[in-house]
């Protein structure tokens, strides 16, 4: 249900909001799954410590556990996803050329601005599906 009575602030389309919510949800799931796999590999780490870390700060823990056993593919995929998630989270609301409310962001380093399109979010969701499959396969390692 698309309830525009929740706020007086203009909102993106219902489909855009669905993709945005799905993107955040699948990332959150994978972030927790990364931590679960770190702990499954080396239970000397503390869940309480890892869960409080920003996703990018998990990199050394992934390297010492998952990458050590399975190679760099999971870490590379997670890094790509974290960067995309950062672009979504640090985005800013704009009106698109199609006169719709969406997010825009900028590339790190270059400052080039771009829109967080539905295509961008669908790719993000797809990459999260791939990461989840990789983590499930690793879990059976």
């Amino acid at each position: 249900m698309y309830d525009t009575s929740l706020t007086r602030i203009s909102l993106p389309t219902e489909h855009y909001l669905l993709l945005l919510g799905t993107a955040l949800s699948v990332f959150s799931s994978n972030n927790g799954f990364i931590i679960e796999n770190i702990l499954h590999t080396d239970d000397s780490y503390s869940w309480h410590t890892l869960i409080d870390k920003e996703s990018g700060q998990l990199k050394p823990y992934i390297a010492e556990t998952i990458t050590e056993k399975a190679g760099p593919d999971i870490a590379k995929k997670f890094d790509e996803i974290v960067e995309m998630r950062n672009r979504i989270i640090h985005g800013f609301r704009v009106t698109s050329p199609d006169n719709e409310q969406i997010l825009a962001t900028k590339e790190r380093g270059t400052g080039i601005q771009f829109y967080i399109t539905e295509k961008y979010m669908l790719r993000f969701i797809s990459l999260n599906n791939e990461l989840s499959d990789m983590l499930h396969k690793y879990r059976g390692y």
Side-chain angles (χ1 to χ4, degrees), residues 5-18:
S5 69
L6 296 173
T7 182
R8 293 182 309 278
I9 300 169
S10 62
L11 294 172
T13 66
E14 183 175 10
H15 187 251
Y16 191 91
L17 288 174
L18 174 67

Side-chain angles (χ1 to χ4, degrees), residues 48-110:
H48 288 87
T49 299
L50 295 175
I51 201 69
D52 284 340
K53 296 204 173 291
E54 295 172 8
S55 299
Q57 293 176 341
L58 293 173
K59 187 182 265 188
Y61 303 95
I62 295 167
E64 294 168 0
T65 56
I66 298 169
T67 301
E68 192 68 31
K69 287 200 176 210
D73 292 345
I74 290 173
K76 287 179 183 177
K77 182 79 67 181
F78 189 63
D79 283 348
E80 179 181 9
I81 288 169
V82 168
E83 181 57 30
M84 290 181 77
R85 188 284 315 253
N86 289 347
R87 300 303 9 124
I88 293 169
I89 294 300
H90 297 290
F92 48 92
R93 282 280 302 285
V94 298
T95 303
S96 75
D98 296 330
N99 206 30
E100 294 192 352
Q101 297 297 303
I102 63 171
L103 295 174
T105 191
K106 65 175 188 63
E107 291 179 0
R108 276 188 199 245
T110 68

